[in-house]
């Protein structure tokens, strides 16, 4: 039975984002949908063909495969598909076929594009945030949830003043939220203690908090902005503002929080690093990095800005440690350059990073000079560890004699890895292609980098092995539009946003850079340079950059939320704690990565 227009409209009322459209707009859109019946195993469109519009499954099921024939997802009623082609050049990057007898609703492409242009809700839902403009990182546009101290310290109205005062002293805070049966009923500040207790001569052992607290204090929701905090504090002459969610106290914003927020910036941190005379002083400065992460993410800065600024801090710490080491050891016996690899080398550090580094020494080096470099490596590596950049589990550090060698030895390393690309050689080459000079004579690396890229890109067997190696990290895609999460242990039902999130894109970027002999080490810069060089097609690069942006931003937002909750940030994210909209966008991003991996595997070094 063919659905009537009334049947289609009723179905659309249960599908987001159509259910949120104004009545007149909804009626107009519903009339533009047409219904199409398909038999089992029928191809709806193939890879490379024009996409006629946005498809919506009304009944039955659809399987979507990539260019290599690998299954990307299986779709069921209320799932949409085909929109990616419409967002770019109108041609499909995948193939869609029915799994059973299926009813599909089709929204013409012109109507889809009109909705994208005129309805912000549609733009956010289908465009995966590609064109979102970052906000400034100043305090006035920060969310209150990023400014507040959390979790709040509280007491009951019945608590006596002495115990409340001791609690504030022990916790080194200037206010307490007064909570009764889970709800905020007042706030007690140091000013209340001085004006309401000491000045009046009240007995702190018998006087209850309820007698002197500020009742029914003004509060703000977590969605409020920093400008709201500033305005209220100035207008009401107050220094403490509770943050309320559903009548419950979730945090407190004080003038101290605002001062601390303004003081924490990458520039200020680097300034403090440059003045440090001891490792202990450096550690005190790097303790501010989690707060810097929260501030940068809360300011809606793009992920490449956040990771660049955090990496700048690591670079500054490394250079300061090298300077302090040279003050102790004396000048280097021969020129050298200290290089970072891994996330620091790519300028992609987040709230959790180990150290990966090595040293290139001038070829005038003789073994009798090795003790100086060993002491340098040990001082710097130990200092980085003390500052939170923990030792590399794989011993990829300058303290390992293998990674502290003259340029001639490094040249032989790269030649051997390229000539004999066994699994270990591929792993080492992958790490070393991300090298970036931090301190010393950068010229020792520049010539070798250009030489190695040229030699490696001309070795088709090595390139093929690097392509194969880049496909070992798979996006966490499950069937039925789900995620492949960790099945057991501490991170059960979570996904690893490092190894299954950003690393697959990092690996793709590295291979593109190798094929085109591109110098950048940063992943996003590599993708854009690869597009410019013609290694990736315009549509492929646009999709992959957008997917990478979304995945990286999810990872950073999750880490910032962990810091705000008082936890140590990690790379694990629980996707099912997000709403359908965000979860759908994240999965779409993983689908793009999977598609680009398949395209690279199929086409080798040809443009994808």
């Amino acid at each position: 039975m063919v659905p009537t227009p009334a049947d289609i409209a009723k179905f659309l009322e249960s599908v987001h984002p159509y259910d949120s459209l104004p009545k007149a707009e909804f009626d107009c859109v519903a009339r533009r949908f047409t219904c199409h019946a398909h038999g089992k195993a029928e191809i709806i469109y193939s890879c490379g063909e024009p996409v006629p519009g946005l498809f919506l499954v009304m009944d039955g099921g659809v399987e979507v495969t990539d260019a290599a024939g690998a299954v990307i997802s299986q779709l069921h009623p209320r799932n949409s598909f085909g929109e990616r082609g419409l967002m770019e050049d109108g041609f499909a990057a995948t193939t869609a076929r029915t799994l059973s007898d299926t009813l599909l609703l089709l929204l013409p492409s012109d109507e889809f594009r009109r909705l994208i242009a005129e309805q912000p809700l549609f733009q956010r839902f289908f465009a995966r945030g590609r064109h979102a403009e970052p906000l400034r990182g100043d305090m006035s546009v920060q969310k209150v949830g990023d400014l507040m101290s959390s979790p709040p310290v509280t007491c009951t109205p019945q608590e006596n003043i002495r115990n409340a005062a001791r609690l504030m002293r022990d916790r080194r805070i200037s206010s307490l939220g007064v909570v009764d049966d889970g709800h905020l009923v007042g706030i007690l500040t140091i000013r209340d203690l001085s004006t309401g207790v000491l000045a009046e001569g009240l007995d702190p052992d018998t006087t209850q908090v309820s007698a002197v607290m500020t009742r029914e204090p003004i509060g703000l929701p977590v969605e409020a902005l920093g400008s709201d905090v500033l305005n209220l504090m100035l207008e009401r002459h107050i220094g403490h503002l509770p943050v309320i969610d559903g009548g419950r106290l979730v945090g407190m914003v004080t003038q101290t929080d605002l001062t601390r927020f303004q003081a924490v910036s990458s520039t200020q941190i680097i300034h403090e690093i440059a003045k440090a005379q001891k490792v202990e002083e450096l550690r005190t400065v790097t303790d501010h990095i989690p707060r810097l992460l929260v501030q940068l993410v809360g300011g809606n800065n793009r992920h490449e800005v956040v990771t660049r600024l955090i990496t700048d801090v690591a670079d500054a710490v490394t250079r300061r440690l090298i300077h302090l080491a040279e003050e102790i050891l004396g000048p280097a016996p021969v020129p050298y350059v200290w290089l970072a690899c891994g996330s620091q080398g790519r300028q992609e550090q987040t709230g959790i990073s180990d150290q990966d580094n090595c040293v290139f020494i001038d070829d005038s080096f003789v073994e009798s000079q090795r003790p100086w470099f060993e002491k340098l490596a040990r001082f710097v590596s130990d200092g980085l560890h003390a500052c939170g950049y923990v030792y590399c589990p794989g011993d990829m550090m300058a303290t390992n004699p293998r990674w502290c060698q003259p340029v001639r030895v490094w040249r032989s390393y790269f030649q051997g890895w390229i000539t004999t690309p066994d699994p270990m050689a591929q792993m080492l080459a992958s790490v070393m292609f991300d090298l970036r000079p931090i301190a010393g004579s950068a010229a020792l690396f520049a010539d070798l980098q250009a030489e190695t890229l040229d030699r490696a890109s001309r070795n088709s067997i090595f390139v093929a092995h690097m392509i194969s190696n880049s496909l070992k990290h798979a996006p966490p895609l499950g069937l039925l539009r789900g995620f492949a999460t960790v099945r057991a242990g501490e991170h059960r039902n979570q996904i690893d946003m490092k190894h299954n999130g950003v690393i697959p894109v990092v690996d793709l970027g590295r291979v593109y850079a190798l094929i085109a002999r591109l110098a950048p080490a940063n992943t996003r810069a590599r993708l854009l340079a690869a597009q410019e060089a013609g290694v990736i097609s315009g549509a492929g690069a646009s999709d992959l950059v957008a997917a990478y942006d979304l995945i990286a931003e999810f990872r950073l937002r999750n880490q910032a939320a962990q810091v705000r909750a008082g936890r140590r940030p990690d790379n694990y994210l629980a996707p099912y704690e997000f709403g359908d909209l965000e979860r759908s966008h994240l999965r779409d991003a993983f689908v793009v990565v999977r598609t680009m991996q398949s395209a690279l595997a199929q086409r080798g070094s040809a443009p994808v």
Side-chain angles (χ1 to χ4, degrees):
M1 179 178 177
V2 178
T4 66
D7 294 330
I8 293 174
K10 184 175 181 180
F11 176 74
L12 290 175
E13 289 175 350
S14 67
V15 181
H16 191 71
Y18 309 98
D19 59 349
S20 299
L21 288 173
K23 181 65 167 58
E25 181 72 287
F26 176 87
D27 291 342
C28 175
V29 173
R31 287 194 296 270
R32 292 299 308 273
F33 271 99
T34 56
C35 186
H36 303 265
H38 297 269
K40 182 179 179 180
E42 187 174 338
I43 293 178
I44 302 162
Y45 59 74
S46 298
C47 183
E49 292 181 352
V51 180
L54 176 73
F55 290 95
L56 177 63
V57 182
M58 188 172 185
D59 189 38
V62 173
E63 183 181 80
V64 178
T65 56
D66 61 22
V71 176
I72 294 176
S73 59
Q74 293 182 343
L75 310 176
H76 297 280
R78 295 180 179 79
N79 292 155
S80 299
F81 63 100
E83 70 273 14
R84 282 187 55 253
L86 292 174
M87 293 301 295
E88 297 297 340
D89 55 6
F91 291 89
T94 56
T95 296
R97 59 170 53 82
T98 57
L99 293 169
S100 60
D101 291 341
T102 300
L103 284 178
L104 295 179
L105 299 181
L106 175 63
L107 184 67
S109 57
D110 63 328
E111 180 67 359
F112 175 81
R113 293 194 175 97
R114 182 189 71 80
L115 287 169
I116 290 292
E118 298 178 5
Q119 295 292 333
L121 183 65
F122 268 71
Q123 199 282 329
R124 290 194 298 271
F125 188 88
F126 290 103
R128 301 189 295 274
R130 294 180 186 190
H131 310 295
E133 289 294 330
L135 299 176
R136 293 168 51 221
D138 64 281
M139 183 166 55
S140 64
V141 298
Q142 299 294 311
K143 291 289 184 66
V144 166
D146 296 323
L147 296 171
M148 69 184 186
S149 299
S150 176
V153 182
T154 65
C155 68
T156 67
Q158 295 76 34
E159 187 64 76
N160 68 53
I161 291 297
R162 186 178 300 280
N163 288 338
R166 285 173 174 167
L167 180 58
M168 281 194 275
R169 178 201 64 191
D170 295 343
R171 300 295 291 270
R172 298 182 180 181
I173 54 178
S174 57
S175 64
L176 290 174
V178 185
V179 175
D180 188 21
D181 192 27
H183 292 272
L184 180 72
V185 296
I187 182 174
L188 181 71
T189 67
I190 289 178
R191 182 179 179 182
D192 294 325
L193 296 180
S194 62
T195 61
V197 180
L198 292 178
E200 299 298 329
L202 300 179
D203 183 351
D205 291 314
T206 59
T207 303
Q208 293 185 341
V209 167
S210 59
V212 296
M213 70 182 186
T214 300
R215 295 179 179 275
E216 299 181 359
I218 298 171
L220 288 171
V222 292
E223 296 82 11
L225 299 178
S227 58
D228 299 321
V229 176
L230 295 169
N231 292 339
L232 274 177
M233 285 186 172
L234 290 172
E235 290 175 8
R236 304 298 181 95
H237 303 288
I238 55 179
H240 304 80
L241 272 173
V243 182
I244 311 298
D245 186 11
R248 297 181 180 275
L249 180 68
V250 296
M252 189 79 71
V253 180
T254 68
Q255 289 179 339
T256 302
D257 293 321
L258 301 185
T259 301
R260 183 186 302 116
F261 181 91
Q262 289 175 314
V264 176
S265 70
S266 61
T267 302
Q268 181 62 31
I269 288 175
I270 290 173
H271 177 69
E272 294 298 323
I273 288 170
K275 297 189 301 180
Q277 296 299 319
K278 299 178 180 178
V279 173
E280 293 76 13
E281 295 175 14
L282 288 172
R283 177 55 194 257
T284 299
V285 179
T286 57
D287 283 344
H288 293 298
I289 292 176
R291 185 67 192 178
L292 175 64
L293 172 69
V294 170
Q295 176 176 326
L296 292 171
V297 173
N300 286 326
N301 292 285
R302 294 185 62 86
H303 72 91
E304 67 269 25
V305 174
V306 177
T307 55
R308 168 61 187 274
L309 293 177
I310 290 178
T311 305
D312 285 349
V313 174
D315 291 354
V317 171
T318 305
R319 284 191 289 268
R320 189 58 184 165
L321 287 168
I322 290 172
H323 177 79
L324 294 175
E326 290 183 345
E327 285 187 342
I328 297 171
L329 301 173
V334 294
Y336 72 96
V337 59
W338 183 284
L339 303 104
C341 44
S343 60
Q344 184 182 1
R346 298 190 304 272
Q347 295 180 302
E348 294 167 5
Q349 287 193 313
T350 64
I352 176 173
S353 297
D354 58 7
Q355 57 174 290
D356 300 278
N357 45 63
C358 62
V359 172
F360 283 26
I361 310 173
D362 187 83
D363 279 339
S364 61
F365 167 84
V366 293
E367 280 300 320
S368 62
Q369 297 165 336
R370 183 166 294 281
W372 190 94
F373 289 100
E374 289 176 343
K375 292 174 183 177
L376 170 76
R378 177 52 57 193
F379 183 91
V380 177
S381 183
D382 288 350
L384 288 171
H385 183 78
C387 291
Y389 304 100
V390 299
Y391 299 126
C392 173
D395 202 22
M396 186 67 67
M397 299 180 294
T399 50
N400 183 339
R402 186 179 186 186
W403 311 129
C404 184
Q405 293 289 342
V407 173
R408 61 178 180 271
V409 175
W410 280 103
R411 179 174 284 106
S412 69
Y413 286 166
F414 281 105
Q415 289 176 353
W417 297 334
I418 294 169
T419 303
T420 312
D422 59 30
M424 179 58 70
Q426 294 168 37
M427 186 276 290
L428 294 173
S430 295
V431 172
M432 295 305 173
F433 277 128
D434 294 347
L435 288 174
R436 182 172 60 88
I438 303 298
S441 179
L444 293 174
F445 170 68
D447 291 343
L448 180 58
Q449 180 193 35
E451 174 188 323
T452 301
L453 280 174
D454 179 66
R455 183 188 297 269
S457 63
R458 287 189 286 106
N459 188 318
S460 59
I461 296 177
F462 178 77
V463 172
H465 278 278
M466 288 295 289
I467 290 175
S468 177
N469 190 60
S470 74
L471 305 178
K472 291 181 179 178
H473 293 102
L477 291 170
L479 294 179
L480 307 179
R481 294 196 62 81
F483 296 91
T485 59
V486 178
R487 296 186 178 181
E490 177 186 0
H491 300 294
R492 185 173 180 269
N493 295 329
Q494 297 178 331
I495 53 181
D496 186 339
M497 292 296 287
K498 177 181 178 181
H499 292 99
N500 301 112
V502 297
I503 290 298
V505 188
V506 169
D507 290 342
L508 286 173
R510 187 183 299 113
V511 171
Y512 297 146
L514 171 62
I515 292 172
R517 307 175 193 177
L518 305 173
N522 177 264
T523 298
R524 201 173 195 276
R526 279 172 166 170
L527 298 180
L528 295 176
Q531 178 185 9
E532 183 73 18
V535 178
I536 325 176
S537 67
S542 179
D543 272 353
L544 189 55
V545 169
Y548 178 57
D549 287 345
L550 187 69
I551 294 166
E553 284 163 13
F554 258 89
R555 181 191 184 199
L556 285 175
R557 282 169 46 200
N558 188 56
Q559 289 190 357
Q562 291 170 332
V563 172
R564 287 196 298 269
R567 293 156 49 196
R568 179 177 175 79
D570 61 34
N571 288 303
Y572 291 91
L573 177 144
Y576 296 106
E577 292 181 1
F578 292 87
D580 290 345
L581 177 61
E582 289 188 299
R583 198 164 59 242
S584 174
H585 290 173
L586 180 60
R587 194 179 189 285
D588 285 347
F590 288 139
V591 168
V592 171
V593 177
R594 170 74 173 274
T595 300
M596 295 302 288
Q597 285 182 324
S598 298
L600 182 63
Q602 285 291 110
R603 305 183 192 184
S605 59
V608 296

